Amino acid sequence: MSDSKQEQYPGVVMPKCEPLKILKNQKALVTGANSGIGKAVAIALGEAGADVVVNYRSGEDSAQEVVDKIKQFGSKAIAHQADVSQEDQVGTMFKQMIQEFGTIDILVNNAGLQQDAPFDQMTLQQWNTVINVNLTGQFLCAREAVREFKRRGVVSEVSNAAGKIICMSSVHEVIPWAGHVNYAASKGGVMLMMKSIAQEVGPYRIRVNSIAPGAIRTPINTEAWSTPEAYDSLMQLVPYKRIGEPEDIGRAAVWLASDLSDYVNGTSLFVDGGMTLYPGFATGG
Ligand code: BGC
């Protein structure tokens, strides 16, 4: 692994080996894949051998950059513009993906946003926008994916499973978050949606899991890490004492999408440096 690659993962010592192509012949769709966590996940899946649809809502150039990067690994990639909260746009996206790639094996339900406000000032529009994208968007995409997984079934040369869904949740599926009630409610909803779908479609050999990231260095939370003061205050919440990098989530997604995690179903994988360990109790209680 080159030094420049090492530099991409501050604070993380990467194993010195070629990435395994453990997702070879698999077709993946990553929503909200032109920035932040979605971008890192799309690139990691492509590096692991999957062909990837890079969904974005706005920002065609950045989506194209992700596509170009994935192609460098020898995988196929296409960008597709769609708002995941719109049923017709989601339907068209899946139709086009199946036309282009033949099927779908992996859905990463990543697209999400925050619209923060003190509770008594939160508008219905802020509430609806966050629920529509973060929760309804995941429902719409998961439903299309399950339809295709059930239609096609297991293809044993490709994967033990008929399909895998990874929902991007958050530590806020369990940690209440003042000033972010709409966001926390959406992620709490994602948790039980994910588990209920997993219970229902497990018999079809479809695996459904979540990744629950903590504080990851992305545009969604720039305020929380971009000044030394903010970073220090954030570290009070992270026992492992470093911010997460998008690549930390990319690697978790590759594992959850692969047969290495074949017996993992209906679970949330917390990738949070220990944020959910009640860090306040390290000295108190
Ligand atoms: C939020 C970030 C936040 C992190 C930890 C994420 O789900 O999107 O803004 O920094 O949780 O609180």
Side-chain angles (χ1 to χ4, degrees), residues 3 35 106 151 197 250 273:
D3 286 350
S35 75
I106 301 161
R151 184 201 64 76
I197 302 171

Side-chain angles (χ1 to χ4, degrees), residues 114 169-172 177 183 187 213-216 220-221 224 234 275:
Q114 284 181 219
S169 184
S170 164
V171 289
H172 298 295
W177 206 15
Y183 183 83
K187 296 302 185 179
I216 310 297
I220 208 171
N221 60 356
L234 182 64
M275 193 176 235

Side-chain angles (χ1 to χ4, degrees), residues 194-195 198-199 207-210 264-268:
M194 175 279 286
K195 287 179 190 283
Q199 192 188 58
R207 293 195 297 117
V208 190
N209 293 286
S210 287
V264 179
N265 191 27
T267 204
S268 295

Side-chain angles (χ1 to χ4, degrees), residues 186-262:
S186 74
K187 296 302 185 179
V190 163
M191 178 184 65
L192 273 180
M193 180 186 73
M194 175 279 286
K195 287 179 190 283
S196 303
I197 302 171
Q199 192 188 58
E200 182 169 334
V201 302
Y204 299 93
R205 285 269 169 141
I206 297 167
R207 293 195 297 117
V208 190
N209 293 286
S210 287
I211 297 176
I216 310 297
R217 193 196 307 268
T218 71
I220 208 171
N221 60 356
T222 313
E223 264 177 37
W225 52 261
S226 54
T227 65
E229 298 73 34
Y231 191 88
D232 284 352
S233 144
L234 182 64
M235 287 309 105
Q236 304 290 310
L237 301 174
V238 184
Y240 202 55
K241 300 299 172 204
R242 74 165 171 86
I243 195 169
E245 303 297 338
E247 291 78 8
D248 287 309
I249 307 302
R251 288 189 288 274
V254 168
W255 179 76
L256 261 188
S258 79
D259 284 353
L260 290 177
S261 61
D262 190 52

